[in-house]
Amino acid sequence: MHALPMPETFDRKAVSAFARTLLDHRGADAVLDASGVARMGTLAVELLIAARKQWQADGKTLSIRDASDPFLTTIQAVGASVQLLQTGGPA
């Protein structure tokens, strides 16, 4: 399965574009590649939480691989975790 690369700068503008990318892949299992994320905002975390809920409702798998340090730092700063952003994580 091809992984969808997350934006390097995952800010408001990038969230809008990545939301469209996610919608294009709705209804199928998806792997998100977080290796290139250098900067990320809270809105990006909110998008990923919403995507996780949608994928779970659709009965599909959403997973994140190769999380960069800035990605991990941002999600931890807002009280989230990689597990929360993937299907199969805490509800």
Side-chain angles (χ1 to χ4, degrees), residues 1-4 6 18 21-23 25-33 44-65 71 81-90:
M1 175 183 299
H2 174 72
L4 303 172
M6 291 186 198
F18 197 68
T21 298
L22 288 172
L23 285 174
H25 290 85
R26 185 173 171 202
D29 294 335
V31 177
L32 308 180
D33 181 352
V45 178
E46 291 175 13
L47 171 66
L48 295 174
I49 291 169
R52 182 249 189 205
K53 288 182 178 186
Q54 187 61 63
W55 258 250
Q56 188 169 34
D58 291 346
K60 299 297 178 184
T61 301
L62 180 69
S63 59
I64 297 172
R65 74 170 194 199
F71 178 90
S81 66
V82 172
Q83 292 75 24
L84 177 70
L85 304 176
Q86 304 179 113
T87 56

Side-chain angles (χ1 to χ4, degrees), residues 4-23:
L4 303 172
M6 291 186 198
E8 181 179 350
T9 301
F10 209 168
D11 57 7
R12 180 178 293 274
K13 183 177 177 183
V15 164
S16 179
F18 197 68
R20 287 188 296 276
T21 298
L22 288 172
L23 285 174

